[in-house]
Amino acid sequence: MRVSEISDQDICTHIREEWENLDDNDMKSLNIMKSAAINYCCGFTGLTEKELDKYEDITIAILSLIADMWNNRDAVGNLKNINPTVDTILSMHCINLLPEAEN
């Protein structure tokens, strides 16, 4: 599954919530968390949102970030507590740490 294919139902399944039991505010929060997770992955890797779709494993990183946000209801991360799965997946696709070639 690609990042652009992540549905509300996929997110609910991953966070172990029944879609039917969530109200509009919960769904709004999950969509904000999804956007934040995608932006985090873009910032971490240096990839655009469209480029994230090239790597299906990034979907797991995004779902894991959403689950962490949902469980903690806290979008502020602490570098000591980065999810190791997220860190490993995103580090494999990181392009923004490479030096640029000189002209």
Side-chain angles (χ1 to χ4, degrees):
M1 172 189 310
R2 305 216 180 277
V3 171
S4 62
E5 298 170 342
I6 298 172
S7 68
D8 291 344
Q9 186 63 46
D10 295 324
I11 294 170
C12 290
T13 300
H14 192 77
I15 64 171
R16 296 184 179 135
E17 294 282 352
E18 295 292 327
W19 182 80
E20 299 82 18
N21 295 337
L22 300 176
D23 62 24
D24 289 340
N25 288 329
D26 291 331
M27 293 311 298
K28 183 177 178 180
S29 293
L30 285 174
N31 284 314
I32 291 168
M33 291 174 189
K34 178 182 175 182
S35 179
I38 290 170
N39 288 334
Y40 178 86
C41 291
C42 289
F44 189 104
T45 62
L47 299 169
T48 65
E49 188 172 338
K50 186 175 180 179
E51 290 172 324
L52 293 179
D53 264 355
K54 295 179 187 176
Y55 310 102
E56 291 190 37
D57 55 341
I58 292 179
T59 301
I60 296 299
I62 289 171
L63 290 171
S64 295
L65 285 166
I66 294 169
D68 286 347
M69 288 183 226
W70 181 258
N71 291 334
N72 298 315
R73 301 298 198 281
D74 183 9
V76 178
N78 184 336
L79 291 179
K80 305 188 297 192
N81 297 322
I82 293 176
N83 180 315
T85 302
V86 171
D87 187 51
T88 300
I89 290 170
L90 295 182
S91 292
M92 290 187 319
H93 304 294
C94 207
I95 64 167
N96 59 350
L97 298 178
L98 300 175
E100 292 185 20
E102 293 184 26
N103 290 331

